[in-house]
């Protein structure tokens, strides 16, 4: 208990912490809570599962208890599930305050959210897209007086990845006061440090854990080198092995696309594995239900896209399997961070094909350690290979009979409309770009072909000259 009071936190907060089993501050809490309580902006970069959420929730609650009003704090986070998780921490730790929170995420009823916002909750936890929509369309609430702005997974919010938050972020930053405390947290802040400094301008306090290795010590990191065609058989074999060898087990599997996620889930269920999928093509209610069932161990396997890669705190996860090697080391760090949290042990296994070896090298360079090979009896895998591949193909055919691809197309169109673009015009533009690309490729190939022909002709000419010289020499030589 001594630890937290030394940081300047009140006894009621320390009592709340102990109810969650938080007895001693973790390094990120120890280092970031005092400057936040002093009123400084803060950027905290610490490993996955090291307690970054409480590092900002605790000092905010302390400040809120001293001068309570709504809306006091705005937390932005990249995914809907993460918003609910953060809200839960605020709720539990802030219970004695009678804390009112409000979650503003996409996929949920906008009118109900607008009503909740108008009731001036103390804390708003939001994904940028939906909050920006509310700011654009409603004048029944204001975030002009907030004291705290938190960007959780701050580097992701600034990235222009497949979901680009930057425009929405701009709208939000224009709606919050310049006089505020800004707190930025992530396990991977360093790449976006300069951009982050433009958001946290109040002489930010920057803290980064000093350890050389960027993943947690308790995490056993392995790889299996597999040909693409036998990947699924390896996956099924690995799951079977964990099921056979462990009483209490729970696995998260990451895939690169919604479709693969869906197909693999169907396939695992064909093999009677207790699995459930989580990806952005699912309805929000299904997403929450899937996560809740996995958290409560009704399902032991969660198969997900990178929508679940960051922040989710599910202590029971013992193993993370990367069905594809992540293209960016940062994504790898967050994915494998879903296990071995808060001092627990865990294992991460990455399936690597011959085409992904350079990606593994990039990951190893970033995390500053080598992955070890996970030994598997190949003969065991070969026994199930045909059955697994046939089952997968059957699942693919089943999925083709549904409107999955169509839905994807509709979602894409919806997204473009939300971004203020005309989907048909965009399709035309894309087709034109494709055409130009093809023409360029053809032109390049044509040039390469011409150059090659020239080179060959040159070689032929040289050889001919050489031959002629030799023939002349031979003719001149005495018989
Ligand atoms: N001081 C502490 N002692 C023990 N457990 C803690 C402490 N602080 C937080 N925890 C617990 O550790 C777990 C991980 O915390 P949290 O989700 O905040 O990690 P994180 O650093 O935000 O991870 P990520 O980078 O993956 O988002 C949670 O279950 C939390 O309740």
């Amino acid at each position: 208990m001594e630890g937290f009071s030394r940081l300047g936190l009140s006894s009621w907060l320390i009592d709340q912490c102990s109810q969650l089993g938080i007895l001693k501050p973790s390094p990120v809490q120890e280092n970031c809570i005092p400057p936040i309580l002093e009123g400084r902006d803060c950027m905290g970069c610490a490993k996955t599962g090291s307690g970054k959420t409480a590092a900002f929730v605790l000092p905010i609650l302390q400040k809120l208890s001293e001068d309570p009003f709504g809306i006091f704090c705005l937390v932005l986070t990249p995914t809907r599930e993460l918003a609910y998780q953060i809200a839960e921490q605020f709720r539990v730790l802030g219970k004695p305050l009678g804390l009112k929170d409000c979650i503003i995420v996409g996929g949920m009823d906008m009118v109900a959210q607008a009503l909740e916002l108008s009731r001036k909750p103390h804390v708003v936890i939001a994904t940028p897209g939906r909050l920006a929509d509310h700011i654009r369309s409603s004048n029944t609430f204001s975030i002009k007086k907030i004291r705290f702005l938190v960007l959780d997974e701050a580097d992701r919010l600034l990235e222009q990845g497949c979901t680009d938050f930057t425009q929405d972020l701009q709208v939000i930053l224009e709606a919050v006061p310049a006089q505020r405390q800004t707190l930025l947290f992530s396990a991977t802040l360093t790449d976006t440090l300069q951009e982050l400094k433009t958001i946290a301008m109040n002489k930010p306090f920057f803290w980064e854990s000093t350890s050389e290795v960027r993943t947690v010590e308790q995490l056993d990191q392995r790889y299996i080198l597999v040909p693409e065609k036998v990947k699924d058989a390896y996956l099924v074999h690995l799951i079977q092995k964990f099921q056979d060898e462990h009483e209490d087990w729970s696995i998260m599997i990451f895939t690169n696309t919604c479709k693969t996620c869906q197909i693999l889930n169907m396939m695992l269920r064909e093999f009677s594995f207790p699995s459930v999928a989580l990806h952005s093509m699912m309805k929000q209610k299904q997403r929450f239900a899937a996560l809740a069932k996995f958290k409560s161990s009704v399902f032991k396997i969660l198969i997900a896209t990178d929508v679940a890669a960051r922040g989710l705190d599910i202590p029971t996860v013992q193993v993370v399997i990367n069905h594809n090697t992540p293209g960016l080391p940062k994504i790898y760090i967050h994915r494998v961070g879903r296990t071995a949290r808060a001092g627990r042990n865990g294992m991460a296994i990455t399936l690597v094909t011959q085409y992904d070896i350079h990606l593994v090298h990039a990951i190893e360079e970033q995390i500053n350690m080598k992955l070890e090979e996970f030994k598997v009896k190949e003969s065991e895998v070969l026994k199930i290979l045909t059955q697994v591949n046939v089952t997968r193909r059957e699942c693919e055919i089943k999925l083709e009979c549904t409107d999955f691809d169509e839905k994807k197309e509709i979602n894409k169109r919806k997204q473009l409309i939300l971004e203020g673009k005309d989907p048909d015009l965009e399709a035309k533009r894309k087709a034109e770009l494709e055409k130009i690309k093809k023409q360029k490729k053809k032109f390049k190939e044509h040039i390469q072909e011409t150059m090659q022909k020239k080179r060959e002709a040159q070689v032929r000419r040289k050889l001919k000259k050489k031959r002629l010289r030799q023939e002349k020499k031979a003719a001149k030589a005495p018989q």
Side-chain angles (χ1 to χ4, degrees):
M1 236 42 86
E2 163 61 5
F4 275 112
S5 56
R6 194 162 33 88
L7 302 184
L9 291 176
S10 306
S11 57
W12 68 269
L13 262 175
I14 298 170
D15 288 346
Q16 288 310 106
C17 282
S18 64
Q19 281 188 24
L20 286 183
I22 301 177
L23 305 174
K24 202 170 139 270
S26 66
V28 65
Q29 294 160 356
E30 177 127 33
N31 286 281
C32 294
I33 291 176
I36 299 174
L37 287 175
E38 278 166 26
R40 292 182 68 180
D41 283 0
C42 177
M43 296 198 262
C45 182
K47 292 181 187 183
T48 51
S50 62
K52 293 185 285 297
T53 319
F56 64 79
V57 171
L58 291 170
I60 290 174
L61 286 175
Q62 167 117 353
K63 289 287 176 189
L64 176 69
S65 72
E66 291 164 10
D67 179 17
F69 69 87
I71 300 172
F72 184 83
C73 166
L74 169 62
V75 182
L76 297 175
T77 188
T79 69
R80 300 165 183 181
E81 287 75 13
L82 212 41
Y84 277 77
Q85 188 179 292
I86 295 168
E88 184 60 28
Q89 287 242 348
F90 267 108
R91 230 168 268 168
V92 178
L93 291 168
K95 201 171 173 203
L97 287 183
L99 182 92
K100 274 196 287 175
D101 67 85
C102 167
I103 304 169
I104 303 295
V105 296
M108 304 303 273
D109 184 40
M110 200 146 164
V111 179
Q113 287 178 351
L115 197 67
E116 268 194 76
L117 280 171
S118 70
R119 289 185 185 139
K120 296 192 174 175
H122 298 118
V123 182
V124 173
I125 303 109
T127 48
R130 179 53 71 88
L131 183 66
D133 284 349
H134 278 285
I135 295 172
R136 288 186 195 106
S137 67
S138 159
N139 54 6
T140 56
F141 76 101
S142 165
I143 46 173
K144 277 237 144 22
K145 292 201 173 120
I146 60 158
R147 278 285 165 78
F148 283 96
L149 171 67
V150 183
L151 267 62
D152 187 40
E153 307 294 344
D155 55 327
R156 175 66 193 93
L157 292 172
L158 292 180
E159 254 171 26
Q160 292 170 327
C162 60
T163 314
D164 186 350
F165 297 111
T166 47
Q167 278 184 11
D168 297 321
L169 213 53
Q170 204 52 44
V171 172
I172 296 166
L173 289 175
E174 279 164 22
V176 294
Q179 270 283 16
R180 59 168 196 256
Q181 241 179 292
T182 309
L183 315 179
L184 311 171
F185 283 90
S186 176
T188 50
L189 274 187
T190 16
D191 297 352
T192 41
L193 221 51
Q194 281 317 314
E195 288 112 298
L196 292 170
K197 278 185 183 158
T198 62
I199 298 179
M201 293 174 296
N202 176 19
K203 281 192 234 145
F205 168 80
F206 177 64
W207 187 80
E208 186 175 17
S209 50
T210 47
S211 143
E212 282 194 358
V213 176
R214 296 186 65 191
T215 43
V216 296
E217 257 171 56
Q218 297 83 353
L219 179 64
D220 185 3
Q221 301 182 68
R222 306 294 188 104
Y223 74 90
I224 308 176
L225 194 59
V226 288
E228 183 71 43
K229 278 184 189 154
V230 294
K231 233 182 185 187
D232 296 336
Y234 270 87
L235 179 70
V236 170
H237 173 76
L238 283 176
I239 298 173
Q240 189 64 55
K241 202 168 139 68
F242 281 109
Q243 185 167 288
D244 294 344
E245 290 175 4
H246 300 89
E247 279 270 301
D248 186 23
W249 59 284
S250 163
I251 301 178
M252 265 178 101
I253 301 164
F254 284 100
T255 63
N256 56 350
T257 68
C258 298
K259 197 170 177 177
T260 314
C261 184
Q262 189 77 11
I263 290 170
L264 287 180
N265 185 43
M266 290 163 75
M267 185 189 85
L268 293 182
R269 286 193 171 202
E270 288 294 323
F271 287 105
S272 301
F273 287 124
S275 78
V276 67
L278 177 62
H279 57 74
S280 59
M281 293 262 307
M282 288 162 64
K283 290 207 175 85
Q284 193 51 46
K285 277 196 179 145
Q286 292 175 322
R287 274 167 67 164
F288 286 140
L291 192 59
K293 282 176 189 160
F294 180 63
K295 274 186 166 176
S296 58
S297 292
V298 174
F299 288 89
K300 304 277 194 186
I301 302 167
L302 180 71
I303 175 150
T305 56
D306 283 322
V307 76
R310 282 181 181 250
L312 289 184
D313 182 52
I314 307 163
T316 49
V317 176
Q318 293 143 356
V319 183
V320 167
I321 300 179
N322 286 318
H323 183 260
N324 72 305
T325 311
L328 290 174
K330 202 187 238 215
I331 297 180
Y332 174 87
I333 291 173
H334 288 282
R335 279 185 180 187
V336 300
R338 293 320 96 213
T339 185
R341 297 176 70 74
R344 293 180 193 86
N345 292 323
M347 181 184 264
I349 304 173
T350 302
L351 300 181
V352 181
T353 70
Q354 68 268 39
Y355 309 109
D356 306 323
I357 291 171
H358 65 291
L359 298 177
V360 175
H361 289 152
I363 289 167
E364 289 177 333
E365 198 175 316
Q366 269 281 319
I367 63 171
N368 225 347
M369 69 174 284
K370 290 263 174 229
L371 308 191
E372 264 181 53
E373 190 178 358
F374 186 87
K375 296 261 191 282
V376 173
K377 271 194 192 151
E378 212 180 324
S379 56
E380 297 283 308
V381 180
L382 291 177
K383 275 186 210 160
I384 56 168
L385 179 61
T386 312
Q387 196 195 355
V388 171
N389 284 353
V390 168
T391 312
R392 171 162 180 153
R393 188 65 202 125
E394 282 168 359
C395 293
E396 282 171 353
I397 293 167
K398 258 192 217 162
L399 194 69
E400 272 158 29
C401 297
T402 68
D403 54 358
F404 193 85
D405 284 325
E406 234 172 82
K407 265 193 207 154
K408 196 171 169 189
E409 214 34 59
I410 294 169
N411 281 355
K412 259 192 209 162
R413 287 177 73 86
K414 266 194 204 161
Q415 185 58 35
L416 286 170
I417 293 168
L418 281 175
E419 286 168 15
K421 295 173 186 161
D422 176 340
D424 295 323
L425 252 169
E426 285 299 314
K428 238 185 187 175
R429 213 173 55 87
K430 214 173 159 192
E432 267 166 28
L433 273 175
E434 253 341 283
K435 209 169 143 189
I436 295 172
K437 251 192 200 167
K438 261 189 197 163
Q439 279 171 346
K440 269 190 178 171
K441 197 176 164 204
K442 222 173 161 184
F443 184 62
K444 210 172 155 188
E445 279 170 1
H446 177 70
I447 290 185
Q448 276 171 347
E449 215 174 282
T450 318
M451 299 277 283
Q452 183 64 20
K453 274 184 189 161
K454 264 190 180 174
R455 274 196 294 271
E456 282 169 8
Q458 239 173 3
V459 172
R460 272 200 303 274
R461 270 200 303 276
K462 268 188 190 166
L463 285 173
K464 196 176 169 188
K465 266 188 192 170
K466 201 175 167 189
R467 205 180 58 234
L468 283 174
R469 268 202 307 272
Q470 279 169 347
E471 277 173 6
K472 259 190 197 171
K473 236 187 193 174
K476 273 186 195 167
Q479 296 294 319

